[in-house]
Amino acid sequence: MKVKLIGAFLALSFTMSMNAQVKKWTLKECVDYAIENNITVKQSELNLENAEVDKKGAVGNFLPTVNASASHSWNIGLNQNITTGLLENLTTQFTSARMDVGVSVFAGLQNVNQLHRANLAILSNQYQLEDIKDDIRLLVANSYLQVVFNRESLKVQNAQFESTRQDLERTKELVDSGVVPRGDLLEIEATAATLEQNIVNAENALRLSKISLAQALLITDYENFEISDDDYLVPTTVIFDNNPKSIFEKALTFRNDIKVSELGVQIAEKDVKIAKGGMLPSLDAFYSYDTRASNNDIRVGTDLTVNPDNPTQQIGTVEGTGQAVVAPNFIATPITEKADPYFDQFSINDGHRFGARLSIPILNGFRSRNSVKRSEIALERAKFQFEQEKLNLETTVNQAYNDALGAGKAFEAAQKTLQARQTAFEYSQERFNVGLLNSFDFNQTKQRLIQAEAEVVRTKYNYIFLTKVLEFYFGVPITDIN
């Protein structure tokens, strides 16, 4: 028995320790964690890194191109002597080296415009990244407040069930004393069963909302995921001191999606300039250096000797007589010297080449003109997109303003209704306790009270979220709820 008690105590201690270790997430922690781990954010960060690489490429267009090459070969058999130019049956080694330098002097200002475009693209990707983060903040805040709403709804259901349980005990006493009929007891029991079912539904809704929030954070340990126990009060706000137009004008100054569209127009303008630059002449400068070395002997002269086997050779005839004209038949023997040392040959045989190259586009199948036209069309499309984004933002701000204003009025109305339902319920309960009100009418009053309490909770968190959305378009961070 003692061993069992010790085991039970250890199990209870372990359970309590595990529960104590469960982290309770605040809204700010959820938002920060989601932004840090969201896959879409990471993909957008890669786009930003890619834009940085594109800028390095644009900067590189201003730098000269430098290329070097070298080769070493063995020639065996009948080959042309690179020193004498004659065909000889020999084995030689040949080494060559070359370096080329090129620089763009003028390219229709394309390099300058490409660098400007790269800088604009970096800014655009930064704004796109921040815009994605803004969307995540709204998503997480909505999911977080949904969990809070379901938690508060569950509290309301539990409180009503406890109240009904107490009513059930009192009704049993009234039935036993003969004050009310047994049918009233059955009516209360049915109400209690309904509330138990509502509690189960509320628990399921709370569990599903936690899972939804955890999935938004890419957290898979749903069972140990909990949010903080903070009770969010309806925030005091001065946002309604501003009309929708002023909120819209403020949003235009900092909204990232507007900045992305505005930069899209500027990028399209640079694309037009880059395309037009392709129709202008271009000027390049170049310089080349090359050298070579060989182990082949160097020919310095020729030794002429009469062929002893055939000392003379006919070189023609005398006109008229046909008499042969002869000359000595010499044998030419090359006089060679050993090749200079390899490294000395590199300085002896080197050469330089430099100059400038002018390229003037005249006709290339209308490719350059078509490129300019496509860029101009893309520019007009970007302008239309920019105007459409501003219209969308204005519509969104007006909708958010009306939604928040309506949610505030709905919350005030729900509070008034709850106050009236509470007073009616207290009056009905007093009459029911003395047998002046039957259980059916009493339960109807109680159900209306439950609905009023649930409506207050719903309208409260709906008003909190919609107000924060409206403030978000005015520049107030979404995580500042309390």
Side-chain angles (χ1 to χ4, degrees):
M1 182 65 181
K2 185 177 181 181
V3 174
K4 291 183 179 180
L5 288 175
I6 294 175
F9 176 78
L10 292 176
L12 178 61
S13 300
F14 177 78
T15 302
M16 293 176 63
S17 175
M18 290 295 294
N19 291 333
Q21 293 176 0
V22 173
K23 176 180 175 58
K24 293 189 175 182
W25 295 71
T26 64
L27 175 58
K28 186 177 186 306
E29 289 174 335
C30 288
V31 170
D32 294 341
Y33 187 87
I35 290 176
E36 183 180 354
N37 295 275
N38 186 268
I39 295 177
T40 305
V41 170
K42 292 180 179 180
Q43 290 176 334
S44 184
E45 289 173 346
L46 292 177
N47 293 336
L48 181 58
E49 291 182 17
N50 192 59
E52 295 283 356
V53 174
D54 290 340
K55 180 182 178 179
K56 291 181 180 179
V59 172
N61 291 334
F62 291 92
L63 303 177
T65 59
V66 180
N67 296 290
S69 62
S71 66
H72 184 85
S73 61
W74 286 264
N75 300 323
I76 302 174
L78 185 64
N79 292 286
Q80 186 181 39
N81 190 319
I82 62 172
T83 304
T84 64
L86 300 177
L87 291 175
E88 300 179 16
N89 195 353
L90 43 76
T91 299
T92 61
Q93 296 185 50
F94 177 68
T95 302
S96 65
R98 182 183 181 91
M99 183 179 69
D100 296 296
V101 180
V103 60
S104 176
V105 180
F106 179 78
L109 298 179
Q110 286 183 314
N111 293 344
V112 175
N113 289 320
Q114 285 174 349
L115 178 58
H116 292 168
R117 187 192 189 284
N119 288 326
L120 293 174
I122 290 176
L123 283 176
S124 178
N125 280 276
Q126 288 174 344
Y127 290 139
Q128 286 178 351
L129 176 59
E130 292 302 319
D131 188 48
I132 292 173
K133 291 181 179 179
D134 287 343
D135 293 340
I136 292 174
R137 291 185 181 99
L138 286 174
L139 172 64
V140 172
N142 188 24
S143 300
Y144 191 93
L145 289 178
Q146 186 64 42
V147 176
V148 177
F149 162 69
N150 289 330
R151 185 180 64 189
E152 295 302 313
S153 297
L154 179 59
K155 289 181 180 179
V156 170
Q157 296 295 334
N158 285 326
Q160 289 298 330
F161 177 76
E162 179 62 24
S163 175
T164 302
R165 188 185 63 79
Q166 295 175 1
D167 291 339
L168 184 61
E169 292 178 355
R170 285 195 299 269
T171 304
K172 287 181 180 179
E173 295 176 356
L174 294 174
V175 170
D176 293 339
S177 61
V179 176
V180 296
R182 177 168 293 276
D184 289 351
L185 177 61
L186 298 176
E187 186 71 29
I188 299 295
E189 289 177 346
T191 301
T194 301
L195 289 176
E196 283 184 325
Q197 184 179 0
N198 292 341
I199 290 174
V200 172
N201 294 335
E203 289 174 343
N204 289 336
L206 177 59
R207 186 180 302 106
L208 290 176
S209 61
K210 285 182 181 180
I211 292 175
S212 178
L213 177 58
Q215 289 176 340
L217 304 182
L218 299 181
I219 294 176
T220 56
D221 188 8
Y222 306 137
E223 296 299 326
N224 294 319
F225 179 74
E226 293 290 342
I227 65 172
S228 66
D229 297 326
D230 297 336
D231 184 15
Y232 291 97
L233 304 177
V234 177
T236 57
T237 180
V238 295
I239 189 64
F240 294 107
D241 295 341
N242 304 276
N243 56 37
K245 184 174 180 58
S246 62
I247 297 175
F248 165 68
E249 291 174 350
K250 176 71 178 297
L252 283 177
T253 62
F254 70 90
R255 284 291 301 172
N256 293 304
D257 48 354
I258 297 298
K259 292 180 179 179
V260 169
S261 296
E262 185 177 7
L263 283 173
V265 175
Q266 298 179 31
I267 290 174
E269 290 174 346
K270 293 300 178 183
D271 288 336
V272 172
K273 293 181 178 180
I274 293 172
K276 289 182 177 179
M279 301 179 65
L280 299 177
S282 61
L283 179 63
D284 299 321
F286 61 88
Y287 167 80
S288 297
Y289 171 83
D290 61 82
T291 183
R292 65 186 185 278
S294 172
N295 70 339
N296 209 21
D297 294 340
I298 301 174
R299 182 170 181 171
V300 297
T302 304
D303 184 17
L304 300 177
T305 57
V306 177
N307 189 345
D309 298 329
N310 188 14
T312 61
Q313 59 179 344
Q314 184 177 347
I315 60 174
T317 57
V318 178
E319 186 178 355
T321 64
Q323 186 178 359
V325 178
V326 296
N329 184 17
F330 294 103
I331 298 176
T333 303
I335 302 175
T336 60
E337 295 180 357
K338 287 294 183 180
D340 294 330
Y342 242 60
F343 288 101
D344 292 345
Q345 291 185 52
F346 286 136
S347 61
I348 296 172
N349 299 327
D350 64 352
H352 305 268
R353 185 172 67 94
F354 55 89
R357 183 183 300 107
L358 179 66
S359 177
I360 303 175
I362 298 175
L363 182 65
N364 59 359
F366 302 111
R367 284 190 295 271
S368 297
R369 291 184 180 275
N370 291 337
S371 178
V372 172
K373 188 61 178 177
R374 291 191 187 95
S375 300
E376 291 174 343
I377 293 173
L379 174 59
E380 292 301 315
R381 184 179 290 110
K383 290 179 179 179
F384 288 139
Q385 181 64 32
F386 180 44
E387 294 300 322
Q388 185 62 51
E389 288 293 336
K390 291 193 290 187
L391 290 174
N392 292 342
L393 178 61
E394 186 175 15
T395 301
T396 302
V397 168
N398 279 278
Q399 185 67 45
Y401 187 91
N402 291 331
D403 290 345
L405 193 62
K409 293 179 180 179
F411 177 60
E412 292 178 359
Q415 287 180 305
K416 293 178 180 178
T417 302
L418 175 60
Q419 186 176 2
R421 297 298 184 194
Q422 182 68 41
T423 303
F425 174 73
E426 292 173 355
Y427 177 70
S428 297
Q429 191 168 38
E430 292 176 358
R431 297 186 64 198
F432 177 74
N433 289 339
V434 297
L436 297 178
L437 184 69
N438 60 50
S439 62
F440 178 80
D441 292 334
F442 175 70
N443 283 332
Q444 290 296 314
T445 305
K446 191 165 190 175
Q447 287 298 325
R448 286 192 286 268
L449 175 62
I450 294 173
Q451 293 174 359
E453 290 176 337
E455 186 65 11
V456 167
V457 174
R458 186 191 69 80
T459 55
K460 171 186 174 181
Y461 288 100
N462 187 49
Y463 175 61
I464 291 176
F465 178 71
L466 292 177
T467 301
K468 295 311 298 181
V469 169
L470 184 61
E471 291 179 341
F472 180 70
Y473 286 109
F474 201 66
V476 180
I478 194 69
T479 53
D480 296 343
I481 290 184
N482 283 338

